[in-house]
Amino acid sequence: MASNRIQFQHGMSLPEFVRSFGTEAQCAEAVKAARWPDGFVCPRCGCAEHYVVGHGARKLFQCNACRHQTSLTAGSLMEHTKLPLTTWFLAIYLIGQAKTGLSALALKRQLGVSYPTAWLMHQKINRAMAAQEDAHRLGGAVQIDDAYLGGERAGGKVGRGSENKVPFVAAVSLDQRGHPAHLKLSLLSGFTSAAMSTSRVRHQIAISGGLRWPTSTKSIT
């Protein structure tokens, strides 16, 4: 039997993660590269000339022009944190790798921090992931279909009108080889024109070339 390419796609193993982000210096360099990929730029005046105050992950970057100081983590979910960057990176890795989700209690046990700390980290990371997901728009070739989730409970009506089923729409963007690249799911109140027009997926697809969003699932192929 052929293996499922999606299920067996390559990911970052724990040893690979430790080699790449096992030290505070490695994590600080990763944050710096993500924030300033082309080198430091002052967030206040845009000047690139600067000097460093302090050392390690807590060092500050001071602009030569306006003297504004900023840290590596300013404006991020790690701003004002007292935890090592390695702890944050490990938390992000564990939450991102968990196929069925990771509770704050499980995160506490993995990181060796208090439950309130784990809960706050869990909330911040998940909110950041949700914001990133909402900002991403599907482009290129996109396939759309409708489906139902549920129907396992006994009783009630059967078929598409069952109160035991939740309607949703799925949109998948394809890469140049025709393989799935990104998936968007959106719950619906029903498969109606009004529900489709207000769907979250509707506003996260880049539609071009004169194409129009389908007003009902009858026009989805």
Side-chain angles (χ1 to χ4, degrees):
M1 180 183 297
S3 62
N4 187 310
R5 291 196 302 268
I6 301 300
Q7 184 178 3
F8 288 92
Q9 60 184 314
H10 177 71
M12 177 178 281
S13 67
L14 184 56
E16 289 175 324
F17 171 82
V18 172
R19 285 195 297 269
S20 299
F21 308 107
T23 68
E24 198 73 2
Q26 288 175 313
C27 293
E29 192 60 34
V31 174
K32 183 180 178 181
R35 186 174 185 186
W36 301 306
D38 298 321
F40 173 83
V41 176
C42 178
R44 175 176 291 178
C45 69
C47 177
E49 299 296 328
H50 70 284
Y51 58 92
V52 178
V53 179
H55 57 85
R58 310 302 177 187
K59 61 187 177 184
L60 298 174
F61 296 80
Q62 181 163 312
C63 175
N64 285 357
C66 68
R67 306 302 179 188
H68 175 71
Q69 290 184 342
T70 186
S71 67
L72 281 175
T73 57
S76 72
L77 75 167
M78 297 174 286
E79 186 174 18
H80 304 311
T81 184
K82 295 182 180 179
L83 293 173
L85 294 180
T86 50
T87 302
W88 276 99
F89 271 60
L90 181 57
I92 294 170
Y93 172 80
L94 293 173
I95 292 175
Q97 288 288 311
K99 183 177 180 181
T100 57
L102 187 71
S103 69
L105 183 58
L107 188 63
K108 166 194 174 299
R109 292 168 178 160
Q110 295 278 5
L111 299 180
V113 297
S114 67
Y115 180 77
T117 297
W119 183 88
L120 183 60
M121 295 176 72
H122 191 273
Q123 292 291 312
K124 285 187 173 184
I125 293 171
N126 277 286
R127 282 199 298 265
M129 291 171 63
Q132 179 71 17
E133 180 69 14
D134 288 341
H136 180 82
R137 300 192 71 189
L138 300 180
V142 178
Q143 295 183 354
I144 309 171
D145 202 357
D146 63 281
Y148 281 96
L149 178 66
E152 297 180 355
R153 291 181 295 177
K157 295 184 294 185
V158 297
R160 293 176 68 90
S162 173
E163 63 273 20
N164 295 336
K165 296 182 179 180
V166 179
F168 68 94
V169 62
V172 180
S173 63
L174 308 179
D175 60 20
Q176 295 181 348
R177 296 178 297 173
H179 296 162
H182 205 96
L183 170 70
K184 294 277 188 178
L185 301 175
S186 180
L187 296 178
L188 300 175
S189 57
F191 293 123
T192 63
S193 298
M196 291 293 292
S197 64
T198 58
S199 167
R200 289 179 62 196
V201 170
R202 160 68 178 85
H203 303 287
Q204 293 175 331
I205 297 179
I207 300 177
S208 60
L211 298 178
R212 298 181 61 188
W213 173 260
T215 56
S216 72
T217 55
K218 293 181 181 179
S219 59
I220 296 176
T221 56

